Amino acid sequence: MPEYKYVYHYRYEEKKKMLHYFAALRIIYFRDFPYLYAGSFEYELGYLQNYLDDPKSVFITIQKENQILGFAAGGSFANLASSFGNVADKFRMQGFEPQKLFYIGEVIVRSSSAGEIYGAKLFKKLVHFSLDYHFEGVVFCQENCSNENKNVDQTLKNKNEKFKRVFLKSGFSDPNINIEVSYDSVENDNSIKEKTHTLKFWYLNYKEIIFKKFGFRKEFI
């Protein structure tokens, strides 16, 4: 049977070839809950360009029979944080040094491709990559679907709470850093309306956690 394989794209030209596919995949993925994002191709290409401009970034694709089933992207938080306004300043105010942090920006697997399993593997591979570049920690963010949001189905709220429990148990910490972003969102009737969303940031400290709780050794990744 054909094996799944992971392909790393480091160089500018290699990453550039993937932009249009990744832009389309992001629009499809983030249109679903909890993001409900009505994305534009033009914006996505501009956003992904930040990864091309970052010399410490990487795209990782999971492939089977030369078909891309998903991808992950990450890079220097100091270089990529500009996409989130003043979030780098918020980290500095809490004693973090953005240039020492690795930002995991995307982990997207097509739903028909055992998304949770391969998504977790892609996430670990980004962590492994960041270790090779001697970053001191990992940062990523998620849509904050709190129980205060009355427009969110309770089943999905429960899923969000489960996500938080798993990551806290695994060693991630909540630095209580949130930002608000506005973008065109898909309404229940499929109309488009600009809405404000809250993104919550999570942090993992390598020195204290990574080998103790995650076992991110090379033989496991």
Side-chain angles (χ1 to χ4, degrees), residues 8 121 124-125 127-129 131-132 206 209-221:
Y8 289 73
K121 290 184 177 181
K124 284 189 175 184
K125 288 185 181 296
V127 172
H128 185 189
F129 175 87
L131 282 170
D132 289 342
Y206 292 152
I209 301 297
I210 202 160
F211 294 111
K212 184 186 299 183
K213 289 195 175 183
F214 266 98
F216 278 131
R217 301 179 187 277
K218 291 187 177 181
E219 60 264 33
F220 293 132
I221 301 179

Side-chain angles (χ1 to χ4, degrees), residues 30-38 183-188 197:
F30 288 117
R31 192 177 181 89
D32 288 337
F33 176 86
Y35 303 96
L36 304 176
Y37 167 57
Y183 54 79
D184 287 342
S185 300
V186 183
E187 298 288 281
N188 291 333
H197 299 253

Side-chain angles (χ1 to χ4, degrees), residues 34 55 57 69 102 106 141 145 157 205 221:
S57 72
L69 303 180
F102 184 82
E106 341 287 330
C141 69
C145 307
K157 290 180 184 177
N205 186 316
I221 301 179

